[in-house]
């Protein structure tokens, strides 16, 4: 299986797990909060942060935007969606800040104009959200950029994933196993899909977790996930639809730490006696029981 390069990092078999801190819309439309979350990701040792970009009038119908939904930005769903969107100055600030703190950043674009908008920032990769996996026009438009693609496969059948892979091609492609519920139930995470997808598609496969805890995301890395993505928040009790399925600063730090500890522990698979074991062996083995 070939590796995929994102920024200056290689993803694939034998490479360190690439950890993505999904900020998404957890910034609640506040650029200062977004920068605080970026700083949390840097402090935790994450490799990248990710946002979402939508052209609201393209992604949602007029009826949906007019639907009553009281929120901090107004009284309709449209007020909410527009309030959560960052614009030109915001993304310029995000780009400058990420360069300053030396962390990759990229987005999940939900429509073609959003791809065109983000192109000005020369981000290293694009992410296809699970909801967009069947949007052939968007997939083709993203591929025209020549950037690597990370494609999430939540709420998708193998037939739908097969089709998306045929549209995207396998070059510079990373698939992400995920379960699209927020938060996700442990009995529905189905982590064994990760090695199955690696075998089926022959490309790096990652894991995007929406569960409330940490151990299963570490298990995903141990099962072969080339990258792991988790939403982050300053406080899971904050207002917002994704906060409850996110990790707080201590949680994302523990996740990265434990993934790195697991990577140190994998070894080469050859059973051996380490030098440090010899004194223990001499002390504990029964006299005369040596082979």
């Amino acid at each position: 299986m070939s590796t995929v390069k994102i920024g200056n990092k290689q993803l694939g078999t034998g490479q360190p797990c690439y950890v993505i801190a999904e900020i998404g819309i957890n910034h609640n439309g506040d650029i200062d909060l977004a920068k605080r979350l970026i700083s949390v990701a840097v402090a935790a040792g994450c490799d990248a942060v990710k946002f979402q970009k939508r052209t609201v009038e393209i992604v949602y119908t007029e009826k949906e935007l007019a639907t009553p939904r009281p929120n901090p930005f107004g009284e309709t769903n449209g007020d909410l969606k527009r309030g959560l969107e960052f614009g030109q100055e915001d993304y310029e600030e995000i780009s400058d800040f990420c360069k300053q703190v030396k962390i990759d950043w990229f987005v999940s674009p939900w429509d073609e104009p959003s791809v065109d908008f983000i192109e000005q920032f020369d981000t290293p990769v694009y992410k296809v959200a699970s909801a967009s996996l069947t949007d052939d026009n968007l997939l083709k438009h993203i591929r025209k950029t020549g950037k690597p693609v990370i494609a999430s496969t939540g709420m998708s059948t193998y037939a739908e994933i097969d089709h998306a892979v045929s549209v995207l091609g396998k070059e510079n492609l990373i698939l992400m196993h995920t379960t699209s519920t927020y938060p996700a139930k442990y009995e529905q995470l189905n982590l064994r899909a990760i090695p199955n997808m690696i075998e089926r598609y022959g490309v790096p496969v990652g894991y995007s977790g929406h569960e409330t805890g940490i151990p299963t995301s570490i298990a995903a890395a141990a099962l072969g996930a080339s990258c792991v993505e988790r939403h982050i928040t300053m406080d899971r009790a904050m207002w917002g639809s994704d906060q409850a399925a996110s990790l707080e600063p201590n949680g994302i730090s523990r996740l990265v730490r434990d993934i790195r500890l697991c990577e140190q522990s994998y070894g080469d698979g050859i059973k051996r006696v380490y030098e440090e074991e010899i004194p223990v062996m001499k002390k504990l083995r029964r006299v005369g029981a040596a082979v």
Side-chain angles (χ1 to χ4, degrees), residues 93-118:
E93 195 164 346
I94 287 168
S95 182
D96 290 342
F97 188 71
C98 286
K99 288 176 183 176
Q100 177 186 331
V101 298
K102 296 180 171 59
I103 191 169
D104 288 342
W105 75 277
F106 57 96
V107 306
S108 295
W110 286 58
D111 54 86
E112 292 88 340
S114 290
V115 177
D116 298 338
F117 172 83
I118 293 295

Side-chain angles (χ1 to χ4, degrees), residues 25 28-29 56 65 67 69-85 239-241:
I25 55 174
N28 286 344
V56 173
L65 293 175
T67 300
R69 186 179 181 181
N71 63 83
F73 307 103
E75 296 300 318
T76 68
N77 198 30
D79 294 329
L80 172 62
K81 300 305 181 185
R82 294 184 183 96
L84 291 174
E85 279 303 317
W239 178 89
S241 57

Side-chain angles (χ1 to χ4, degrees), residues 243-279:
Q243 309 287 359
S246 303
L247 296 179
E248 294 175 344
N250 183 55
I252 190 65
S253 294
R254 288 166 55 200
L255 174 67
V256 177
R257 178 201 66 188
D258 290 352
I259 287 176
R260 300 304 175 219
L261 287 173
C262 285
E263 288 173 342
Q264 291 178 37
S265 73
Y266 293 154
D268 58 12
I270 301 172
K271 180 63 180 172
R272 58 173 56 83
V273 176
Y274 291 96
E275 185 176 344
E276 291 84 352
E277 290 183 285
I278 294 174

Side-chain angles (χ1 to χ4, degrees), residues 21-249:
E22 160 84 58
I23 294 174
I25 55 174
N26 280 355
H27 52 72
N28 286 344
D30 184 339
I31 190 65
D32 291 328
L33 177 55
K35 291 163 71 174
R36 287 172 62 198
L37 289 167
I38 293 168
S39 296
V40 165
V42 172
C46 296
D47 297 289
V49 292
K50 189 184 81 70
F51 294 87
Q52 298 177 18
K53 186 73 182 88
R54 297 173 174 87
T55 305
V56 173
E57 288 74 19
I58 293 176
V59 175
Y60 302 100
T61 64
E62 290 185 13
K63 180 180 179 180
E64 179 65 25
L65 293 175
T67 300
R69 186 179 181 181
N71 63 83
F73 307 103
E75 296 300 318
T76 68
N77 198 30
D79 294 329
L80 172 62
K81 300 305 181 185
R82 294 184 183 96
L84 291 174
E85 279 303 317
F86 281 155
Q88 180 73 32
E89 291 184 4
D90 300 311
Y91 275 108
E92 287 176 356
E93 195 164 346
I94 287 168
S95 182
D96 290 342
F97 188 71
C98 286
K99 288 176 183 176
Q100 177 186 331
V101 298
K102 296 180 171 59
I103 191 169
D104 288 342
W105 75 277
F106 57 96
V107 306
S108 295
W110 286 58
D111 54 86
E112 292 88 340
S114 290
V115 177
D116 298 338
F117 172 83
I118 293 295
E119 271 295 277
Q120 67 183 296
F121 300 105
D122 196 27
T123 52
V125 63
Y126 281 102
K127 171 85 185 293
V128 175
S130 293
S132 302
L133 192 70
T134 58
D135 188 339
D136 286 6
N137 290 333
L138 179 60
L139 301 187
K140 292 173 183 176
H141 198 75
I142 289 174
R143 263 307 188 202
K144 288 178 182 177
T145 67
K147 304 283 180 65
V149 176
I150 300 173
S152 271
T153 62
M155 56 190 175
S156 300
T157 64
Y158 268 134
E160 290 169 331
I161 301 169
D162 290 348
H163 177 74
V165 170
S166 73
V167 173
L168 290 166
K170 292 187 178 182
E171 185 177 359
N172 286 329
L173 176 65
I174 300 158
L175 296 175
M176 297 287 272
H177 169 59
T178 186
T179 301
S180 296
T181 51
Y182 303 82
K185 298 178 181 178
Y186 282 92
E187 62 270 23
Q188 295 179 349
L189 297 183
N190 194 21
L191 296 182
R192 287 196 177 102
I194 295 168
N196 287 344
M197 288 173 64
I198 293 171
E199 182 177 358
R200 182 182 181 98
Y201 297 107
V203 301
V205 174
Y207 175 66
S208 182
H210 303 128
E211 67 271 31
T212 54
I214 298 170
T216 39
S217 290
I218 299 165
L223 283 166
S226 297
C227 58
V228 168
E229 176 186 68
R230 289 296 302 269
H231 284 71
I232 62 169
T233 180
M234 299 304 299
D235 185 343
R236 293 200 302 174
M238 289 177 67
W239 178 89
S241 57
D242 293 341
Q243 309 287 359
S246 303
L247 296 179
E248 294 175 344

